[in-house]
PDB file of all heavy atoms in Angstrom:
ATOM      1  N   ARG A   1       7.028  12.292   0.476  1.00 98.00           N
ATOM      2  CA  ARG A   1       6.520  11.425  -0.578  1.00 98.00           C
ATOM      3  C   ARG A   1       7.122  10.044  -0.391  1.00 98.00           C
ATOM      4  O   ARG A   1       8.333   9.866  -0.531  1.00 98.00           O
ATOM      5  CB  ARG A   1       6.877  11.964  -1.956  1.00 98.00           C
ATOM      6  CG  ARG A   1       6.201  11.222  -3.108  1.00 98.00           C
ATOM      7  CD  ARG A   1       6.845  11.582  -4.429  1.00 98.00           C
ATOM      8  NE  ARG A   1       6.033  11.196  -5.571  1.00 98.00           N
ATOM      9  CZ  ARG A   1       6.501  11.085  -6.815  1.00 98.00           C
ATOM     10  NH1 ARG A   1       7.774  11.355  -7.072  1.00 98.00           N
ATOM     11  NH2 ARG A   1       5.680  10.731  -7.794  1.00 98.00           N
ATOM     12  N   LEU A   2       6.278   9.079  -0.072  1.00 98.00           N
ATOM     13  CA  LEU A   2       6.712   7.710   0.087  1.00 98.00           C
ATOM     14  C   LEU A   2       6.580   6.964  -1.230  1.00 98.00           C
ATOM     15  O   LEU A   2       5.651   7.200  -1.999  1.00 98.00           O
ATOM     16  CB  LEU A   2       5.890   6.995   1.153  1.00 98.00           C
ATOM     17  CG  LEU A   2       5.819   7.651   2.531  1.00 98.00           C
ATOM     18  CD1 LEU A   2       5.055   6.749   3.493  1.00 98.00           C
ATOM     19  CD2 LEU A   2       7.209   7.959   3.072  1.00 98.00           C
ATOM     20  N   SER A   3       7.510   6.052  -1.467  1.00 98.00           N
ATOM     21  CA  SER A   3       7.479   5.212  -2.648  1.00 98.00           C
ATOM     22  C   SER A   3       7.370   3.753  -2.244  1.00 98.00           C
ATOM     23  O   SER A   3       7.900   3.343  -1.215  1.00 98.00           O
ATOM     24  CB  SER A   3       8.748   5.405  -3.491  1.00 98.00           C
ATOM     25  OG  SER A   3       8.861   6.727  -3.957  1.00 98.00           O
ATOM     26  N   CYS A   4       6.688   2.984  -3.062  1.00 98.00           N
ATOM     27  CA  CYS A   4       6.572   1.543  -2.896  1.00 98.00           C
ATOM     28  C   CYS A   4       6.952   0.922  -4.222  1.00 98.00           C
ATOM     29  O   CYS A   4       6.178   0.988  -5.187  1.00 98.00           O
ATOM     30  CB  CYS A   4       5.152   1.168  -2.482  1.00 98.00           C
ATOM     31  SG  CYS A   4       4.825  -0.605  -2.412  1.00 98.00           S
ATOM     32  N   ALA A   5       8.140   0.358  -4.280  1.00 97.00           N
ATOM     33  CA  ALA A   5       8.666  -0.200  -5.513  1.00 97.00           C
ATOM     34  C   ALA A   5       8.579  -1.720  -5.486  1.00 97.00           C
ATOM     35  O   ALA A   5       9.007  -2.357  -4.518  1.00 97.00           O
ATOM     36  CB  ALA A   5      10.113   0.233  -5.718  1.00 97.00           C
ATOM     37  N   ALA A   6       8.037  -2.291  -6.541  1.00 97.00           N
ATOM     38  CA  ALA A   6       7.895  -3.737  -6.655  1.00 97.00           C
ATOM     39  C   ALA A   6       9.003  -4.306  -7.523  1.00 97.00           C
ATOM     40  O   ALA A   6       9.407  -3.705  -8.515  1.00 97.00           O
ATOM     41  CB  ALA A   6       6.539  -4.101  -7.242  1.00 97.00           C
ATOM     42  N   SER A   7       9.475  -5.474  -7.144  1.00 96.00           N
ATOM     43  CA  SER A   7      10.421  -6.216  -7.959  1.00 96.00           C
ATOM     44  C   SER A   7      10.023  -7.682  -7.957  1.00 96.00           C
ATOM     45  O   SER A   7       9.456  -8.177  -6.994  1.00 96.00           O
ATOM     46  CB  SER A   7      11.856  -6.042  -7.454  1.00 96.00           C
ATOM     47  OG  SER A   7      11.998  -6.527  -6.134  1.00 96.00           O
ATOM     48  N   GLY A   8      10.320  -8.361  -9.049  1.00 94.00           N
ATOM     49  CA  GLY A   8       9.962  -9.758  -9.177  1.00 94.00           C
ATOM     50  C   GLY A   8       8.554  -9.991  -9.685  1.00 94.00           C
ATOM     51  O   GLY A   8       8.194 -11.144  -9.960  1.00 94.00           O
ATOM     52  N   PHE A   9       7.759  -8.943  -9.799  1.00 93.00           N
ATOM     53  CA  PHE A   9       6.414  -9.022 -10.348  1.00 93.00           C
ATOM     54  C   PHE A   9       5.999  -7.632 -10.779  1.00 93.00           C
ATOM     55  O   PHE A   9       6.629  -6.639 -10.394  1.00 93.00           O
ATOM     56  CB  PHE A   9       5.416  -9.621  -9.349  1.00 93.00           C
ATOM     57  CG  PHE A   9       5.132  -8.752  -8.161  1.00 93.00           C
ATOM     58  CD1 PHE A   9       3.943  -8.039  -8.082  1.00 93.00           C
ATOM     59  CD2 PHE A   9       6.038  -8.647  -7.121  1.00 93.00           C
ATOM     60  CE1 PHE A   9       3.665  -7.242  -6.980  1.00 93.00           C
ATOM     61  CE2 PHE A   9       5.774  -7.848  -6.026  1.00 93.00           C
ATOM     62  CZ  PHE A   9       4.584  -7.147  -5.952  1.00 93.00           C
ATOM     63  N   THR A  10       4.943  -7.540 -11.552  1.00 94.00           N
ATOM     64  CA  THR A  10       4.442  -6.258 -12.025  1.00 94.00           C
ATOM     65  C   THR A  10       3.159  -5.896 -11.288  1.00 94.00           C
ATOM     66  O   THR A  10       2.329  -6.752 -10.996  1.00 94.00           O
ATOM     67  CB  THR A  10       4.186  -6.273 -13.535  1.00 94.00           C
ATOM     68  OG1 THR A  10       3.259  -7.315 -13.864  1.00 94.00           O
ATOM     69  CG2 THR A  10       5.481  -6.509 -14.293  1.00 94.00           C
ATOM     70  N   LEU A  11       3.002  -4.609 -11.023  1.00 94.00           N
ATOM     71  CA  LEU A  11       1.883  -4.116 -10.227  1.00 94.00           C
ATOM     72  C   LEU A  11       0.619  -3.845 -11.026  1.00 94.00           C
ATOM     73  O   LEU A  11      -0.421  -3.551 -10.433  1.00 94.00           O
ATOM     74  CB  LEU A  11       2.293  -2.823  -9.516  1.00 94.00           C
ATOM     75  CG  LEU A  11       3.322  -2.936  -8.395  1.00 94.00           C
ATOM     76  CD1 LEU A  11       3.733  -1.546  -7.934  1.00 94.00           C
ATOM     77  CD2 LEU A  11       2.767  -3.735  -7.239  1.00 94.00           C
ATOM     78  N   ASP A  12       0.681  -3.956 -12.332  1.00 95.00           N
ATOM     79  CA  ASP A  12      -0.381  -3.453 -13.202  1.00 95.00           C
ATOM     80  C   ASP A  12      -1.780  -3.902 -12.799  1.00 95.00           C
ATOM     81  O   ASP A  12      -2.721  -3.099 -12.834  1.00 95.00           O
ATOM     82  CB  ASP A  12      -0.126  -3.873 -14.644  1.00 95.00           C
ATOM     83  CG  ASP A  12       1.149  -3.290 -15.222  1.00 95.00           C
ATOM     84  OD1 ASP A  12       2.135  -3.151 -14.483  1.00 95.00           O
ATOM     85  OD2 ASP A  12       1.145  -2.991 -16.435  1.00 95.00           O
ATOM     86  N   TYR A  13      -1.936  -5.163 -12.438  1.00 94.00           N
ATOM     87  CA  TYR A  13      -3.267  -5.712 -12.187  1.00 94.00           C
ATOM     88  C   TYR A  13      -3.600  -5.841 -10.708  1.00 94.00           C
ATOM     89  O   TYR A  13      -4.611  -6.454 -10.360  1.00 94.00           O
ATOM     90  CB  TYR A  13      -3.414  -7.061 -12.893  1.00 94.00           C
ATOM     91  CG  TYR A  13      -3.244  -6.946 -14.384  1.00 94.00           C
ATOM     92  CD1 TYR A  13      -2.069  -7.347 -15.011  1.00 94.00           C
ATOM     93  CD2 TYR A  13      -4.254  -6.402 -15.172  1.00 94.00           C
ATOM     94  CE1 TYR A  13      -1.907  -7.218 -16.382  1.00 94.00           C
ATOM     95  CE2 TYR A  13      -4.100  -6.272 -16.539  1.00 94.00           C
ATOM     96  CZ  TYR A  13      -2.924  -6.681 -17.140  1.00 94.00           C
ATOM     97  OH  TYR A  13      -2.770  -6.552 -18.503  1.00 94.00           O
ATOM     98  N   TYR A  14      -2.787  -5.271  -9.850  1.00 96.00           N
ATOM     99  CA  TYR A  14      -2.998  -5.316  -8.410  1.00 96.00           C
ATOM    100  C   TYR A  14      -3.619  -4.026  -7.907  1.00 96.00           C
ATOM    101  O   TYR A  14      -3.388  -2.944  -8.450  1.00 96.00           O
ATOM    102  CB  TYR A  14      -1.671  -5.519  -7.674  1.00 96.00           C
ATOM    103  CG  TYR A  14      -1.034  -6.871  -7.824  1.00 96.00           C
ATOM    104  CD1 TYR A  14      -0.382  -7.236  -8.992  1.00 96.00           C
ATOM    105  CD2 TYR A  14      -1.057  -7.773  -6.766  1.00 96.00           C
ATOM    106  CE1 TYR A  14       0.220  -8.474  -9.117  1.00 96.00           C
ATOM    107  CE2 TYR A  14      -0.455  -9.008  -6.881  1.00 96.00           C
ATOM    108  CZ  TYR A  14       0.186  -9.350  -8.062  1.00 96.00           C
ATOM    109  OH  TYR A  14       0.789 -10.577  -8.171  1.00 96.00           O
ATOM    110  N   ALA A  15      -4.400  -4.138  -6.847  1.00 97.00           N
ATOM    111  CA  ALA A  15      -4.680  -2.991  -6.004  1.00 97.00           C
ATOM    112  C   ALA A  15      -3.540  -2.844  -5.003  1.00 97.00           C
ATOM    113  O   ALA A  15      -2.968  -3.834  -4.557  1.00 97.00           O
ATOM    114  CB  ALA A  15      -6.004  -3.166  -5.268  1.00 97.00           C
ATOM    115  N   ILE A  16      -3.207  -1.607  -4.677  1.00 97.00           N
ATOM    116  CA  ILE A  16      -2.129  -1.343  -3.728  1.00 97.00           C
ATOM    117  C   ILE A  16      -2.661  -0.478  -2.594  1.00 97.00           C
ATOM    118  O   ILE A  16      -3.259   0.573  -2.846  1.00 97.00           O
ATOM    119  CB  ILE A  16      -0.918  -0.656  -4.391  1.00 97.00           C
ATOM    120  CG1 ILE A  16      -0.359  -1.511  -5.523  1.00 97.00           C
ATOM    121  CG2 ILE A  16       0.176  -0.414  -3.346  1.00 97.00           C
ATOM    122  CD1 ILE A  16      -0.861  -1.134  -6.891  1.00 97.00           C
ATOM    123  N   GLY A  17      -2.435  -0.925  -1.385  1.00 97.00           N
ATOM    124  CA  GLY A  17      -2.864  -0.190  -0.217  1.00 97.00           C
ATOM    125  C   GLY A  17      -1.685   0.326   0.582  1.00 97.00           C
ATOM    126  O   GLY A  17      -0.622  -0.301   0.627  1.00 97.00           O
ATOM    127  N   TRP A  18      -1.870   1.486   1.187  1.00 97.00           N
ATOM    128  CA  TRP A  18      -0.938   2.013   2.169  1.00 97.00           C
ATOM    129  C   TRP A  18      -1.557   1.863   3.552  1.00 97.00           C
ATOM    130  O   TRP A  18      -2.725   2.223   3.758  1.00 97.00           O
ATOM    131  CB  TRP A  18      -0.608   3.479   1.908  1.00 97.00           C
ATOM    132  CG  TRP A  18       0.387   3.691   0.807  1.00 97.00           C
ATOM    133  CD1 TRP A  18       0.133   4.014  -0.484  1.00 97.00           C
ATOM    134  CD2 TRP A  18       1.815   3.607   0.928  1.00 97.00           C
ATOM    135  NE1 TRP A  18       1.300   4.137  -1.191  1.00 97.00           N
ATOM    136  CE2 TRP A  18       2.355   3.892  -0.349  1.00 97.00           C
ATOM    137  CE3 TRP A  18       2.688   3.327   1.977  1.00 97.00           C
ATOM    138  CZ2 TRP A  18       3.730   3.896  -0.603  1.00 97.00           C
ATOM    139  CZ3 TRP A  18       4.052   3.328   1.724  1.00 97.00           C
ATOM    140  CH2 TRP A  18       4.548   3.609   0.459  1.00 97.00           C
ATOM    141  N   PHE A  19      -0.766   1.351   4.473  1.00 97.00           N
ATOM    142  CA  PHE A  19      -1.163   1.144   5.856  1.00 97.00           C
ATOM    143  C   PHE A  19      -0.170   1.851   6.764  1.00 97.00           C
ATOM    144  O   PHE A  19       0.949   2.156   6.350  1.00 97.00           O
ATOM    145  CB  PHE A  19      -1.188  -0.349   6.207  1.00 97.00           C
ATOM    146  CG  PHE A  19      -2.100  -1.175   5.344  1.00 97.00           C
ATOM    147  CD1 PHE A  19      -1.722  -1.554   4.064  1.00 97.00           C
ATOM    148  CD2 PHE A  19      -3.331  -1.581   5.821  1.00 97.00           C
ATOM    149  CE1 PHE A  19      -2.547  -2.323   3.266  1.00 97.00           C
ATOM    150  CE2 PHE A  19      -4.175  -2.359   5.032  1.00 97.00           C
ATOM    151  CZ  PHE A  19      -3.784  -2.722   3.760  1.00 97.00           C
ATOM    152  N   ARG A  20      -0.564   2.083   7.996  1.00 97.00           N
ATOM    153  CA  ARG A  20       0.372   2.629   8.966  1.00 97.00           C
ATOM    154  C   ARG A  20       0.092   2.051  10.337  1.00 97.00           C
ATOM    155  O   ARG A  20      -1.031   1.656  10.647  1.00 97.00           O
ATOM    156  CB  ARG A  20       0.318   4.163   9.006  1.00 97.00           C
ATOM    157  CG  ARG A  20      -0.995   4.744   9.508  1.00 97.00           C
ATOM    158  CD  ARG A  20      -0.956   6.273   9.397  1.00 97.00           C
ATOM    159  NE  ARG A  20      -2.162   6.878   9.920  1.00 97.00           N
ATOM    160  CZ  ARG A  20      -2.395   8.177   9.915  1.00 97.00           C
ATOM    161  NH1 ARG A  20      -1.493   9.016   9.413  1.00 97.00           N
ATOM    162  NH2 ARG A  20      -3.535   8.649  10.421  1.00 97.00           N
ATOM    163  N   GLN A  21       1.136   2.002  11.147  1.00 97.00           N
ATOM    164  CA  GLN A  21       1.008   1.498  12.501  1.00 97.00           C
ATOM    165  C   GLN A  21       1.915   2.297  13.427  1.00 97.00           C
ATOM    166  O   GLN A  21       3.129   2.327  13.240  1.00 97.00           O
ATOM    167  CB  GLN A  21       1.362   0.011  12.587  1.00 97.00           C
ATOM    168  CG  GLN A  21       1.086  -0.603  13.944  1.00 97.00           C
ATOM    169  CD  GLN A  21       1.133  -2.113  13.921  1.00 97.00           C
ATOM    170  OE1 GLN A  21       1.716  -2.716  13.020  1.00 97.00           O
ATOM    171  NE2 GLN A  21       0.511  -2.735  14.901  1.00 97.00           N
ATOM    172  N   ALA A  22       1.305   2.945  14.397  1.00 96.00           N
ATOM    173  CA  ALA A  22       2.039   3.670  15.421  1.00 96.00           C
ATOM    174  C   ALA A  22       2.289   2.742  16.603  1.00 96.00           C
ATOM    175  O   ALA A  22       1.539   1.780  16.822  1.00 96.00           O
ATOM    176  CB  ALA A  22       1.258   4.901  15.863  1.00 96.00           C
ATOM    177  N   PRO A  23       3.333   3.012  17.397  1.00 90.00           N
ATOM    178  CA  PRO A  23       3.596   2.170  18.567  1.00 90.00           C
ATOM    179  C   PRO A  23       2.384   2.083  19.489  1.00 90.00           C
ATOM    180  O   PRO A  23       1.773   3.098  19.827  1.00 90.00           O
ATOM    181  CB  PRO A  23       4.767   2.881  19.255  1.00 90.00           C
ATOM    182  CG  PRO A  23       5.458   3.615  18.151  1.00 90.00           C
ATOM    183  CD  PRO A  23       4.350   4.063  17.239  1.00 90.00           C
ATOM    184  N   GLY A  24       2.031   0.870  19.874  1.00 93.00           N
ATOM    185  CA  GLY A  24       0.916   0.655  20.769  1.00 93.00           C
ATOM    186  C   GLY A  24      -0.453   0.745  20.128  1.00 93.00           C
ATOM    187  O   GLY A  24      -1.461   0.635  20.833  1.00 93.00           O
ATOM    188  N   LYS A  25      -0.519   0.935  18.825  1.00 94.00           N
ATOM    189  CA  LYS A  25      -1.793   1.055  18.133  1.00 94.00           C
ATOM    190  C   LYS A  25      -1.897  -0.021  17.051  1.00 94.00           C
ATOM    191  O   LYS A  25      -0.896  -0.565  16.590  1.00 94.00           O
ATOM    192  CB  LYS A  25      -1.949   2.439  17.507  1.00 94.00           C
ATOM    193  CG  LYS A  25      -1.864   3.577  18.507  1.00 94.00           C
ATOM    194  CD  LYS A  25      -2.085   4.929  17.862  1.00 94.00           C
ATOM    195  CE  LYS A  25      -3.527   5.144  17.484  1.00 94.00           C
ATOM    196  NZ  LYS A  25      -3.773   6.529  16.981  1.00 94.00           N
ATOM    197  N   GLU A  26      -3.117  -0.310  16.670  1.00 93.00           N
ATOM    198  CA  GLU A  26      -3.354  -1.302  15.634  1.00 93.00           C
ATOM    199  C   GLU A  26      -3.041  -0.733  14.258  1.00 93.00           C
ATOM    200  O   GLU A  26      -3.078   0.477  14.034  1.00 93.00           O
ATOM    201  CB  GLU A  26      -4.800  -1.790  15.684  1.00 93.00           C
ATOM    202  CG  GLU A  26      -5.154  -2.558  16.943  1.00 93.00           C
ATOM    203  CD  GLU A  26      -6.563  -3.090  16.919  1.00 93.00           C
ATOM    204  OE1 GLU A  26      -7.322  -2.762  15.989  1.00 93.00           O
ATOM    205  OE2 GLU A  26      -6.912  -3.851  17.838  1.00 93.00           O
ATOM    206  N   ARG A  27      -2.723  -1.617  13.353  1.00 93.00           N
ATOM    207  CA  ARG A  27      -2.485  -1.230  11.968  1.00 93.00           C
ATOM    208  C   ARG A  27      -3.741  -0.610  11.374  1.00 93.00           C
ATOM    209  O   ARG A  27      -4.860  -1.110  11.572  1.00 93.00           O
ATOM    210  CB  ARG A  27      -2.054  -2.446  11.157  1.00 93.00           C
ATOM    211  CG  ARG A  27      -1.766  -2.159   9.691  1.00 93.00           C
ATOM    212  CD  ARG A  27      -1.302  -3.433   9.005  1.00 93.00           C
ATOM    213  NE  ARG A  27      -2.256  -4.514   9.196  1.00 93.00           N
ATOM    214  CZ  ARG A  27      -1.941  -5.803   9.188  1.00 93.00           C
ATOM    215  NH1 ARG A  27      -0.682  -6.175   8.990  1.00 93.00           N
ATOM    216  NH2 ARG A  27      -2.880  -6.718   9.370  1.00 93.00           N
ATOM    217  N   GLU A  28      -3.566   0.458  10.637  1.00 94.00           N
ATOM    218  CA  GLU A  28      -4.661   1.225  10.076  1.00 94.00           C
ATOM    219  C   GLU A  28      -4.503   1.338   8.568  1.00 94.00           C
ATOM    220  O   GLU A  28      -3.437   1.706   8.072  1.00 94.00           O
ATOM    221  CB  GLU A  28      -4.688   2.624  10.701  1.00 94.00           C
ATOM    222  CG  GLU A  28      -5.701   3.575  10.110  1.00 94.00           C
ATOM    223  CD  GLU A  28      -5.553   4.989  10.638  1.00 94.00           C
ATOM    224  OE1 GLU A  28      -4.413   5.379  10.980  1.00 94.00           O
ATOM    225  OE2 GLU A  28      -6.572   5.698  10.723  1.00 94.00           O
ATOM    226  N   GLY A  29      -5.555   1.024   7.844  1.00 95.00           N
ATOM    227  CA  GLY A  29      -5.554   1.268   6.417  1.00 95.00           C
ATOM    228  C   GLY A  29      -5.713   2.749   6.137  1.00 95.00           C
ATOM    229  O   GLY A  29      -6.549   3.414   6.754  1.00 95.00           O
ATOM    230  N   VAL A  30      -4.930   3.276   5.219  1.00 96.00           N
ATOM    231  CA  VAL A  30      -4.913   4.703   4.937  1.00 96.00           C
ATOM    232  C   VAL A  30      -5.557   5.012   3.589  1.00 96.00           C
ATOM    233  O   VAL A  30      -6.588   5.683   3.511  1.00 96.00           O
ATOM    234  CB  VAL A  30      -3.478   5.262   4.998  1.00 96.00           C
ATOM    235  CG1 VAL A  30      -3.469   6.757   4.712  1.00 96.00           C
ATOM    236  CG2 VAL A  30      -2.850   4.969   6.355  1.00 96.00           C
ATOM    237  N   LEU A  31      -4.936   4.534   2.524  1.00 97.00           N
ATOM    238  CA  LEU A  31      -5.408   4.770   1.169  1.00 97.00           C
ATOM    239  C   LEU A  31      -5.141   3.539   0.325  1.00 97.00           C
ATOM    240  O   LEU A  31      -4.222   2.768   0.606  1.00 97.00           O
ATOM    241  CB  LEU A  31      -4.705   5.975   0.536  1.00 97.00           C
ATOM    242  CG  LEU A  31      -5.230   7.369   0.863  1.00 97.00           C
ATOM    243  CD1 LEU A  31      -4.192   8.417   0.482  1.00 97.00           C
ATOM    244  CD2 LEU A  31      -6.530   7.631   0.133  1.00 97.00           C
ATOM    245  N   CYS A  32      -5.931   3.386  -0.710  1.00 97.00           N
ATOM    246  CA  CYS A  32      -5.749   2.278  -1.641  1.00 97.00           C
ATOM    247  C   CYS A  32      -6.004   2.779  -3.046  1.00 97.00           C
ATOM    248  O   CYS A  32      -6.845   3.659  -3.257  1.00 97.00           O
ATOM    249  CB  CYS A  32      -6.698   1.131  -1.303  1.00 97.00           C
ATOM    250  SG  CYS A  32      -6.580  -0.297  -2.403  1.00 97.00           S
ATOM    251  N   ILE A  33      -5.272   2.221  -3.991  1.00 97.00           N
ATOM    252  CA  ILE A  33      -5.503   2.517  -5.398  1.00 97.00           C
ATOM    253  C   ILE A  33      -5.751   1.204  -6.125  1.00 97.00           C
ATOM    254  O   ILE A  33      -5.016   0.226  -5.952  1.00 97.00           O
ATOM    255  CB  ILE A  33      -4.333   3.321  -6.015  1.00 97.00           C
ATOM    256  CG1 ILE A  33      -4.685   3.777  -7.428  1.00 97.00           C
ATOM    257  CG2 ILE A  33      -3.030   2.542  -5.972  1.00 97.00           C
ATOM    258  CD1 ILE A  33      -3.749   4.870  -7.946  1.00 97.00           C
ATOM    259  N   SER A  34      -6.801   1.160  -6.922  1.00 97.00           N
ATOM    260  CA  SER A  34      -7.180  -0.057  -7.612  1.00 97.00           C
ATOM    261  C   SER A  34      -6.350  -0.249  -8.875  1.00 97.00           C
ATOM    262  O   SER A  34      -5.587   0.630  -9.290  1.00 97.00           O
ATOM    263  CB  SER A  34      -8.667  -0.011  -7.979  1.00 97.00           C
ATOM    264  OG  SER A  34      -8.903   0.921  -9.016  1.00 97.00           O
ATOM    265  N   SER A  35      -6.516  -1.407  -9.487  1.00 96.00           N
ATOM    266  CA  SER A  35      -5.792  -1.679 -10.727  1.00 96.00           C
ATOM    267  C   SER A  35      -6.188  -0.733 -11.848  1.00 96.00           C
ATOM    268  O   SER A  35      -5.394  -0.491 -12.765  1.00 96.00           O
ATOM    269  CB  SER A  35      -6.017  -3.128 -11.161  1.00 96.00           C
ATOM    270  OG  SER A  35      -7.389  -3.380 -11.414  1.00 96.00           O
ATOM    271  N   SER A  36      -7.395  -0.183 -11.776  1.00 95.00           N
ATOM    272  CA  SER A  36      -7.860   0.756 -12.785  1.00 95.00           C
ATOM    273  C   SER A  36      -7.488   2.200 -12.478  1.00 95.00           C
ATOM    274  O   SER A  36      -7.771   3.090 -13.281  1.00 95.00           O
ATOM    275  CB  SER A  36      -9.371   0.647 -12.958  1.00 95.00           C
ATOM    276  OG  SER A  36     -10.049   0.977 -11.765  1.00 95.00           O
TER     277      SER A  36
END
């Protein structure tokens, strides 16, 4: 279970995406959650 903790601002109205990048490969979008 990965966590993404924000400081200095609130996440309420943002969409948040998780990305991943393996060595030698391009960054890949995995999942996103909208503000709603």
Side-chain angles (χ1 to χ4, degrees):
R1 189 194 195 198
L2 306 184
S3 298
C4 174
S7 61
F9 68 104
T10 57
L11 291 173
D12 297 36
Y13 300 103
Y14 290 76
I16 301 96
W18 282 98
F19 302 78
R20 66 184 183 182
Q21 187 167 20
K25 302 183 73 174
E26 294 183 353
R27 180 178 54 207
E28 174 188 30
V30 180
L31 278 164
C32 179
I33 188 165
S34 71
S35 61
S36 62

